[in-house]
Amino acid sequence: MDALVAQLQMQYRNYTVSLYQQGFLDDQFTELKKLQDDASPDFVAEVLSLFFEDCVKLIGNMARALDQTGTVDFSQVGASVHQLKGSSSSVGAKRVKGLCVTFKEYCEANNYEGCVRCLQQVDIEYKALQTKLQDMFNLEKQIIQAGGKVPQVDIN
Amino acid sequence: MAVGEVMRMEVPTGGDLTVSSPDLHVLAVDDSIVDRKVIERLLRISSCKVTTVESGTRALQYLGLDGNTGASDLKDLKVNLIVTDYSMPGLTGYDLLKKIKESSTFREIPVVIMSSENILTRIEQCLKEGAEDFLLKPVKLADVKRIKQLIMRNEAEDHKTLSHSNKRKLGEDVDASPSSSSSSSSHDDSSVKDFPSSKRMKSESDIFSPFI
């Protein structure tokens, strides 16, 4: 039992560190973890869930705004990008945030192809993060089910 | 003089300040549901009561500044601090700040602005309009702790001066701008209505209470 817990904990540590190293997460995610405790054990998962819902909504807005036959209202696209940039920043979704920065520039430049490319990338990226975090949360569950505690992972 | 001694006896150091220190009630305004969730948690974990609203308009409604009786008329729901995002559709955080500072009832409530953009002119504009502080997003626990300390310290000084002036009955000496409610000598009244601004009040208390 202990050997299993130890193994799972090591897996969890390595996985979490890799998410930071690969740029999926930044230190704002670490900040969110600080806000989680026994009284609010699912805080991080809840915030991220809201974030992913936000992604769906905002990407939908962007797609609709870019789909206008005729003139595209780039400021409308930009407004949604700005919101996504904000929420990705607040949860530590580093890659998504980075893409939003580029996306915003294309909006300001009224660059249609650039915007469409960014839209596709941002869609791929948030889904990739969602999968990675799901795997991370699953590891946490397994650790707890095996009778262990989820370790604090020191990124530095 | 005897006045000083009276104060020393009746106002023990820290006594007034810590006995009834209710949790700060913070009104957090942000159009992003993600940010609302985060700021709410940051404030709760810092032992604050929190009410979140999604827009400046809703904030004014809550305070009762839209002409109707707001929820915060109830003593329990009195707001001690407003934290608001800057960029919001409709009423911006800056617009909200102005409306609050224009209100004789609410101008004493400290307002903190949050923004994801580090624009100096924006920061200056907000501070000039009376914002207590400006937080760069993403907001961290250390930011909230710092703000809370700042607000608690200001409130403590408000209470100190209030209690001193009550004991010395300096009502007519102090430049009390006739404001809405009665001569507020209740210590619960954290938004000090008799004094024009907490910053100015600090210097008044320096003049009247050199013993502090």
Side-chain angles (χ1 to χ4, degrees):
Chain A
M1 199 63 149
D2 283 336
L4 175 62
V5 168
Q7 186 192 34
L8 287 169
Q9 287 173 332
M10 191 180 73
Q11 240 183 301
Y12 175 78
R13 269 200 195 88
N14 292 340
Y15 195 71
T16 304
V17 170
S18 77
L19 290 184
Y20 283 85
Q21 283 176 344
Q22 288 166 36
F24 283 98
L25 301 172
D26 65 29
D27 69 46
Q28 184 60 17
F29 189 80
T30 317
E31 287 290 317
L32 289 190
K33 292 209 111 170
K34 285 186 197 168
L35 306 179
Q36 186 161 281
D37 57 21
D38 291 335
S40 286
D42 300 315
F43 173 71
V44 177
E46 285 165 9
V47 181
L48 267 302
S49 175
L50 284 174
F51 168 67
F52 292 126
E53 282 171 18
D54 218 27
C55 287
V56 173
K57 185 188 91 176
L58 293 171
I59 289 172
N61 290 350
M62 295 169 205
R64 263 188 304 279
L66 283 168
D67 201 26
Q68 309 292 324
T69 37
T71 30
V72 170
D73 185 352
F74 286 99
S75 67
Q76 203 185 346
V77 185
S80 289
V81 174
H82 177 80
Q83 288 194 301
L84 185 59
K85 180 167 159 255
S87 51
S88 58
S89 164
S90 295
V91 303
K94 191 175 180 183
R95 282 200 195 175
V96 177
K97 180 188 172 184
L99 274 172
C100 287
V101 173
T102 311
F103 200 160
K104 208 172 174 196
E105 286 165 12
Y106 282 127
C107 289
E108 280 156 13
N110 290 6
N111 184 328
Y112 182 76
E113 280 87 17
C115 282
V116 170
R117 260 198 322 271
C118 280
L119 180 66
Q120 287 166 349
Q121 285 177 308
V122 108
D123 190 63
I124 290 169
E125 206 54 60
Y126 96 81
K127 285 170 176 163
L129 177 63
Q130 196 168 20
T131 307
K132 293 277 181 185
L133 287 179
Q134 199 49 61
D135 290 343
M136 195 191 79
F137 290 134
N138 282 342
L139 273 171
E140 287 183 357
K141 275 202 194 95
Q142 285 177 54
I143 292 171
I144 293 168
Q145 274 166 3
K149 286 199 85 178
V150 178
Q152 302 264 52
V153 184
D154 189 3
I155 303 309
N156 311 305
Chain B
M1 218 211 109
V3 174
E5 280 157 24
V6 165
M7 285 202 314
R8 265 195 289 276
M9 284 193 309
E10 294 181 60
V11 186
T13 334
D16 260 8
L17 317 177
T18 51
V19 165
S20 67
S21 81
D23 286 339
L24 287 190
H25 176 208
V26 186
L27 179 63
V29 192
D30 202 313
D31 60 317
S32 159
I33 191 171
V34 171
D35 288 356
R36 279 202 301 281
K37 174 108 179 156
V38 174
I39 194 75
E40 179 188 53
R41 182 73 188 141
L42 284 168
L43 289 164
R44 286 236 165 92
I45 223 178
S46 308
S47 309
C48 296
K49 288 197 282 231
V50 193
T51 301
T52 57
V53 292
E54 63 190 8
S55 69
T57 313
R58 282 258 181 271
L60 292 177
Q61 276 172 7
Y62 183 81
L63 294 169
L65 269 176
D66 62 341
N68 301 316
T69 308
S72 75
D73 266 16
L74 305 172
K75 205 165 173 210
D76 285 345
L77 301 176
K78 183 174 209 65
V79 172
N80 306 116
L81 167 64
I82 297 170
V83 177
T84 178
D85 190 26
Y86 184 92
S87 322
M88 295 186 291
L91 221 64
T92 66
Y94 178 71
D95 297 329
L96 180 61
L97 167 67
K98 276 208 298 193
K99 287 232 186 290
I100 288 167
K101 293 304 170 187
E102 280 163 13
S103 149
S104 55
T105 327
F106 294 107
R107 74 161 71 102
E108 293 306 317
I109 302 181
V111 180
V112 171
I113 309 278
M114 304 180 284
S115 176
S116 56
E117 290 163 302
N118 194 3
I119 299 172
L120 192 58
T121 46
R122 175 180 291 187
I123 298 172
E124 285 173 349
Q125 180 194 45
C126 290
L127 293 177
K128 196 169 172 196
E129 198 60 41
E132 203 69 28
D133 209 324
F134 190 98
L135 295 179
L136 205 53
K137 283 181 162 183
V139 181
K140 301 178 186 326
L141 196 54
D143 297 323
V144 172
K145 285 191 148 68
R146 193 191 84 233
I147 294 295
K148 192 190 174 190
Q149 276 175 356
L150 178 69
I151 304 301
M152 299 289 278
R153 207 178 57 224
N154 287 348
E155 299 249 324
E157 288 175 11
D158 288 359
H159 283 165
K160 235 189 203 167
T161 310
L162 252 182
S163 74
H164 289 160
S165 68
N166 284 342
K167 289 186 167 55
R168 289 185 285 146
K169 297 192 176 22
L170 277 176
E172 58 285 342
D173 293 337
V174 177
D175 184 11
S177 45
S179 188
S180 44
S181 62
S182 48
S183 55
S184 54
S185 47
S186 84
H187 291 200
D188 294 342
D189 190 10
S190 53
S191 91
V192 187
K193 296 187 174 117
D194 287 348
F195 300 93
S197 94
S198 51
K199 290 187 171 50
R200 253 176 285 158
M201 187 191 62
K202 264 187 236 164
S203 56
E204 282 173 353
S205 75
D206 283 345
I207 296 166
F208 294 121
S209 330
F211 318 94
I212 293 173

